[in-house]
């Protein structure tokens, strides 16, 4: 049996009876007193100081701004109306699916175009970068059609702006 030095001994934890343990003091809610200017209750007095955050005052009329979400619903309806089927309608579910599809395609093309700009060490995103991103992101005939339509749109824009 090995000898244990006195300094190597481990002290056993001291058990404190439950009655002697003190609980932290509970703060009493602060009492609101009317201001010295008038004796009206605090609810009737106008607020002079705005709350720090909108969450503190739900009825204050201030709201947190929601994240901006791109919606293409207006443009999908315009394209639907411009085709030969003007009386055709689209359900809310179908519109949400089309909107999600458009957001997804925009993100894909933007990501691909940004990668091209980064690879070329350029500072500006040009129409040629978007055209190349379309060729890379879209399959076969769809990419060719997208490039043709994009060229037409850019030409129309340049004609209108000059």
């Amino acid at each position: 049996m090995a000898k244990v030095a006195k300094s190597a001994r481990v002290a056993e934890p001291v058990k404190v009876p439950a009655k002697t343990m003190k609980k932290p003091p509970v703060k009493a809610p602060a009492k609101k007193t009317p201001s010295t200017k008038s004796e009206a209750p605090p609810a009737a007095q106008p607020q002079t100081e705005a709350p720090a955050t909108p969450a503190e005052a739900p009825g204050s009329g201030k709201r947190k701004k929601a994240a901006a979400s791109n919606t293409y619903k207006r443009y999908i309806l315009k394209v639907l109306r411009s085709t030969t089927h003007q009386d055709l309608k689209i359900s809310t579910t179908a519109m949400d699916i089309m909107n999600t599809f458009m957001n997804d395609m925009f993100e894909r093309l933007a990501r691909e175009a940004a990668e091209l700009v980064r690879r070329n060490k350029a500072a500006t995103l040009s129409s040629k970068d978007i055209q190349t991103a379309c060729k890379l992101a879209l399959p076969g005939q769809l990419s060719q059609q997208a490039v043709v339509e994009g060229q037409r749109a850019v030409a129309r824009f340049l004609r209108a702006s000059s």
Side-chain angles (χ1 to χ4, degrees), residues 2 9 39 41 43-44 57 94 110 126 128:
R9 289 185 186 168
E39 294 300 319
S126 67
K128 181 139 175 91

Side-chain angles (χ1 to χ4, degrees), residues 72 100-118 125-139 142-147 150:
Y72 297 96
T100 304
F101 172 75
M102 291 296 295
N103 280 323
D104 183 50
M105 287 308 300
F106 178 80
E107 287 174 12
R108 285 185 193 185
L109 292 173
R111 191 179 318 120
E112 194 67 46
E115 185 62 33
L116 286 168
V117 169
R118 198 174 302 122
L125 179 68
S126 67
S127 61
K128 181 139 175 91
D129 295 324
I130 300 295
Q131 185 176 352
T132 309
C134 285
K135 288 180 181 177
L136 292 171
L138 300 173
L142 189 59
S143 69
Q144 293 172 359
Q145 188 70 25
V147 168

Side-chain angles (χ1 to χ4, degrees), residues 32 47 49-64:
K32 294 183 180 180
Q47 288 184 344
E49 187 176 307
T53 61
E56 292 177 2
S60 67
K62 293 183 181 181
R63 296 181 184 173
K64 291 183 182 180

